[in-house]
Amino acid sequence: MNVSFTRHVFTLFLVLFARNLFAAADGYLTVDPTKDVQDLTSSLAYSWQDQEPKDFEKLSYTPLNASDLNLKYSNDIVWLRLNLENPTDQPISKILYFTTYLVGQISLYQPGNPVPQVSGSAIPMDERSFYSRLSAFKINLPAHEMKSFYFRRTSHHSLSTRVKIEDESDLKATLFFYAGGICCLMLFNIFIGLYTHDKDFLFYSLFAGTVATTVLGLHGFLDCYAFRYFHTTLTQ
């Protein structure tokens, strides 16, 4: 009985080891649903194309094997491939996003689905598949399934970014945290300036507000939230 039990345990170990080995060989990254944020950048593969391919799945992709995705200035189209695996018994739904705001236009293609998701700084906010200041896409991984995701990026500009997945609620809360901190800093200096009658505090608040507006604009906050709020308010 002990011999039979040991044999079964050893066989199960070999099966799991072989499964993980083949998955790693195919370049599939295991998605961990317990992690709040997971960096997928190093698992990307890329392919430069000077014209539209007939089948993006059959392109020759080069593994990135780097912690950051850096794309040069080019008129060519770059295709990115990302292989993900869900080894759990439950489906996983996450938001996949590029950490840099100014990315141009990015389309997400999935095998068997002819309609891509579109996003990117070159796409108007209301026309994006997922409403976000970042280039973000909603992805779903059924239980015990491996899927490939293909991204088509067009832009004349260079790009330095990372690709991550996160829960939708956490993604929206991050920028508001920093924006709230900037507002508190500005209000604090304004109150100190009014109380002490020292203009330096007021000038510092003006400086902080100018820098904050520029930074929030570059990170898509104004397009996603501020301009939308004023447009909705004025058109009512």
Side-chain angles (χ1 to χ4, degrees):
M1 180 176 180
N2 292 333
V3 175
S4 177
F5 176 77
T6 304
R7 184 182 301 153
H8 285 301
V9 172
F10 182 70
T11 302
L12 178 61
F13 173 78
L14 288 179
V15 171
L16 293 176
F17 177 78
R19 181 173 179 272
N20 291 332
L21 180 64
F22 290 133
D26 291 337
Y28 282 87
L29 176 67
T30 300
V31 176
D32 188 352
T34 63
K35 290 185 177 180
D36 295 332
V37 182
Q38 189 170 354
D39 196 329
L40 314 177
T41 311
S42 59
S43 299
L44 288 170
Y46 63 92
S47 177
W48 289 97
Q49 301 293 320
D50 57 0
Q51 57 185 355
E52 291 291 348
K54 295 181 179 180
D55 191 347
F56 54 83
E57 297 181 53
K58 296 181 179 179
L59 295 176
S60 177
Y61 288 90
T62 303
L64 180 63
N65 294 328
S67 59
D68 295 281
L69 174 64
N70 295 297
L71 302 179
K72 60 184 179 180
Y73 289 89
S74 176
N75 291 325
D76 294 341
I77 300 171
V78 62
W79 284 86
L80 303 173
R81 186 188 65 194
L82 182 63
N83 297 327
L84 299 179
E85 178 188 11
N86 177 12
T88 67
D89 297 326
Q90 300 295 328
I92 296 177
S93 180
K94 292 279 188 178
I95 302 300
L96 183 148
Y97 64 96
F98 293 75
T99 57
T100 302
Y101 174 67
L102 299 174
V103 299
Q105 178 176 341
I106 296 181
S107 302
L108 169 59
Y109 292 83
Q110 299 183 54
N113 186 1
V115 181
Q117 298 184 47
V118 294
S119 189
S121 56
I123 303 296
M125 198 67 63
D126 293 333
E127 297 180 11
R128 301 182 187 183
S129 299
F130 180 77
Y131 194 92
S132 172
R133 67 180 184 88
L134 297 172
S135 299
F137 307 89
K138 182 172 290 187
I139 62 171
N140 298 294
L141 287 170
H144 301 290
E145 187 168 319
M146 296 183 292
K147 293 183 67 175
S148 295
F149 300 88
Y150 297 87
F151 301 89
R152 176 184 180 274
R153 192 251 180 174
T154 54
S155 177
H156 300 300
H157 305 289
S158 63
L159 175 65
S160 180
T161 186
R162 290 186 177 184
V163 178
K164 298 182 179 182
I165 55 173
E166 190 172 345
D167 291 331
E168 182 175 349
S169 58
D170 295 333
L171 178 63
K172 292 182 177 180
T174 303
L175 186 64
F176 280 106
F177 174 79
Y178 289 107
I182 294 173
C183 291
C184 290
L185 178 63
M186 292 174 55
L187 292 175
F188 173 78
N189 283 277
I190 289 175
F191 287 135
I192 294 297
L194 294 176
Y195 179 77
T196 61
H197 302 286
D198 190 341
K199 295 182 179 180
D200 290 340
F201 288 97
L202 300 178
F203 287 139
Y204 179 77
S205 298
L206 179 62
F207 169 76
T210 303
V211 174
T213 302
T214 303
V215 173
L216 293 176
L218 291 175
H219 285 78
F221 183 87
L222 299 182
D223 288 338
C224 190
Y225 302 108
F227 293 157
R228 184 188 187 191
Y229 171 78
F230 288 119
H231 175 75
T232 304
T233 303
L234 295 174
T235 55
Q236 285 181 347

